Structures are given as C-alpha cells and as structure tokens.
Amino acid sequence: MTHVFVAGDPYLDSAAVFGVKQELIAEFVQHPPGKGPDGRALEGTWRKLSYDFALKRKA
C-alpha cells in the first residue's frame, strides 16, 4: 500500500501505522474556483497533487 501525506499536516509525526517517510510527503497545490482538471467549472477552491509512483520489479 502507498499513501501520500499532505505537507504540513499536524499529525505527520503520529502516523505510526503508515510509517511516514519524507519521500511520501507532498504539497497539494490549491487552485482558485474556475476550470478544473477535467474541464468542468468548479465553484470552490480545489487542490491538485502531482506525484510519480514507480513500481519495483520483482527479483
């Protein structure tokens, strides 16, 4: 299982179940109301995460 954590989350230090690693903390960029990623008009602010996942080949 992979989990991406929100940068600045006050619970990062207490997420023992997931074992937070620095490389899994990411910035969710806030965008103003307007055109969303799928072209729809969004009335409220929204956030976008861009993150590259890599799969490790089994030996």
Side-chain angles (χ1 to χ4, degrees), residues 1 10 16 18 21 23-24 26-27 30 34-36 39 46-47 50 55 57-58:
M1 179 175 99
F18 293 109
K21 296 180 182 176
E23 58 267 19
L24 293 177
E27 196 70 41
Q30 184 171 331
K35 189 175 180 181
W46 54 280
R47 294 181 183 268
S50 294
L55 300 177
R57 186 177 289 225
K58 261 188 165 176

Side-chain angles (χ1 to χ4, degrees), residues 11-43:
Y11 298 104
L12 285 177
D13 293 333
S14 62
V17 173
F18 293 109
V20 179
K21 296 180 182 176
Q22 189 62 39
E23 58 267 19
L24 293 177
I25 299 173
E27 196 70 41
F28 287 67
V29 181
Q30 184 171 331
H31 296 273
K35 189 175 180 181
D38 64 357
R40 289 183 299 149
L42 301 174
E43 295 179 15

